[in-house]
Each structure stands twice: as C-alpha cells, then as structure tokens.
Amino acid sequence: MSESESPAGARPAQVCPVAIRRALIAHTTMTLAYADEDGPQAAAVLYAVETGGGAGGDTGGLAETDAGRDTGGGTETGVAGGPVLYFVTSTGTRHGRALAGPAPAPARVAFTAQRDGQEWSALTGLQGRGYCRPLGVDERAAGWRVYTARFPFVEESARLREALERTTLWELRPDWLRLIDNGRGFGHKEEWRADAGRG
C-alpha cells in the first residue's frame, strides 16, 4: 500500500488517534531519515513527545504507564492537533547540518520508532513524516521541559545538563503518522494526517 492510500483505520484531519499517541509515548528513540548533498542518510536520536500540539509538557491525558496498553484502535477519541517531538542534536553533526539547511525553511524528514527484538506476529511500530526545525531561545524553555520530563537523568547530572543546554533543541511536527500493529492482525494499520486533503 502506498503512503497516499488510506487504510481502513485512517482518521479525519487534525484528530490524532489515542493508539498512535500511546505508541509515540511508549518509545524513546527514533530513526530520523534525511537527505543532504551526499544523498540519503539516517540517524538515531532520543525524543520526547508532547501530544497536545505544542510545548508545555501535556501528554494528552495519557500516563506513560498506559503507553503500551491495547486501546482497541478505532473507537477511541483523538486529540485536536498533532503531536510534537523534541530531540537534541548538534548542528555540527552531519544530520544537524542537513536539518538546519537554508533557514528559515524547516527541513522535511521521515522517521520510524519501534522496539528491538520483536516477533513478527506481534510487530508494532510507527512511521512518520513531518517538518523539523531548531528552536530559538524564546521557544526552547517549553520544549526543554518536555524533554527533561521524559529524560529526568538529564537534570540529575550537572555535567550532562550543561552539555545538552549548549546543544540545539529541535522540534519535529509530524504531518503523517502510521501505526503498524500485527498484534491486531497481520498488516494492521492506523493512520493520521494533519491535512486529510493531501494525497
């Protein structure tokens, strides 16, 4: 199935299903794909998710302890607006340079998130696309609160905190997300689009 096709579990625009939000919260590492002058590349980064549509630590009413719980899919209410992902990486890295690109245009990226060591019959994970940009000084504080709430060890280590505070904090706003969950049937998909009119 191509990404332009809508599987049976597709939702209307601007409603992100609970199952997708829970899956985002359940993971902490995403593989971020991008392209630069040398071609396509991918990098793994730790991420924190804010599911209410903007920085501020809102998890959309979902406790992290509920993140892996079976939600039953299509019968649950979503949340207006899409999730926002935050990650830290230096603009001196290859992916940091590519993502920074020619400002002020945000970079277009794709990503996946899943657990290692899964059995194919219960395989679950996320695919996504969206726009990525570095946060400015005025925006950083709210995103940093989301990030350190997800990774409290950052604040517990003065050395790590100081190092990361000097590093760029990025915002990734997905506009397409797909949850794959073979535990609900082989090839089961649930999808969300920020703009349902896009092909």
Side-chain angles (χ1 to χ4, degrees):
M1 176 178 291
S2 72
E3 292 177 356
S4 62
E5 294 176 312
S6 295
R11 296 284 185 112
Q14 300 181 3
V15 177
C16 188
V18 169
I20 291 180
R21 290 186 287 143
R22 281 187 169 150
L24 281 168
I25 292 168
H27 302 296
T28 59
T29 306
M30 66 176 164
T31 301
L32 193 63
Y34 63 95
D36 60 14
E37 63 276 5
D38 293 324
Q41 185 60 277
V45 295
L46 293 174
Y47 74 91
V49 61
E50 192 283 307
T51 62
D58 178 23
T59 57
L62 302 176
E64 287 184 17
T65 54
D66 293 335
R69 187 176 298 167
D70 184 358
T71 64
T75 61
E76 296 205 3
T77 304
V79 63
V84 182
L85 282 58
Y86 299 97
F87 64 95
V88 176
T89 198
S90 169
T91 54
T93 63
R94 177 178 171 181
H95 57 278
R97 291 191 301 271
L99 296 177
R108 188 78 171 138
V109 297
F111 64 93
T112 63
Q114 66 282 318
R115 285 189 301 106
D116 289 338
Q118 299 185 69
E119 296 291 335
W120 71 268
S121 58
L123 181 69
T124 183
L126 288 151
Q127 304 167 1
R129 291 192 307 266
Y131 290 93
C132 183
R133 68 184 183 93
L135 292 179
V137 175
D138 294 338
E139 302 169 293
R140 182 183 173 96
W144 185 247
R145 283 194 298 271
V146 176
Y147 191 83
T148 55
R150 186 66 181 96
F151 303 112
F153 61 82
V154 171
E155 292 287 358
E156 293 165 3
S157 166
R159 183 177 179 184
L160 179 59
R161 183 182 67 249
E162 290 167 6
L164 292 185
E165 284 177 345
R166 294 191 300 268
T167 306
T168 304
L169 181 66
W170 301 77
E171 172 192 88
L172 195 169
R173 289 187 175 264
D175 54 24
W176 174 80
L177 290 165
R178 175 181 287 166
L179 172 65
I180 306 293
D181 190 350
N182 283 355
R184 296 181 186 166
F186 183 71
H188 174 87
K189 301 176 180 69
E190 189 163 358
E191 200 171 286
W192 170 81
R193 290 179 184 275
D195 180 357
R198 294 180 60 180

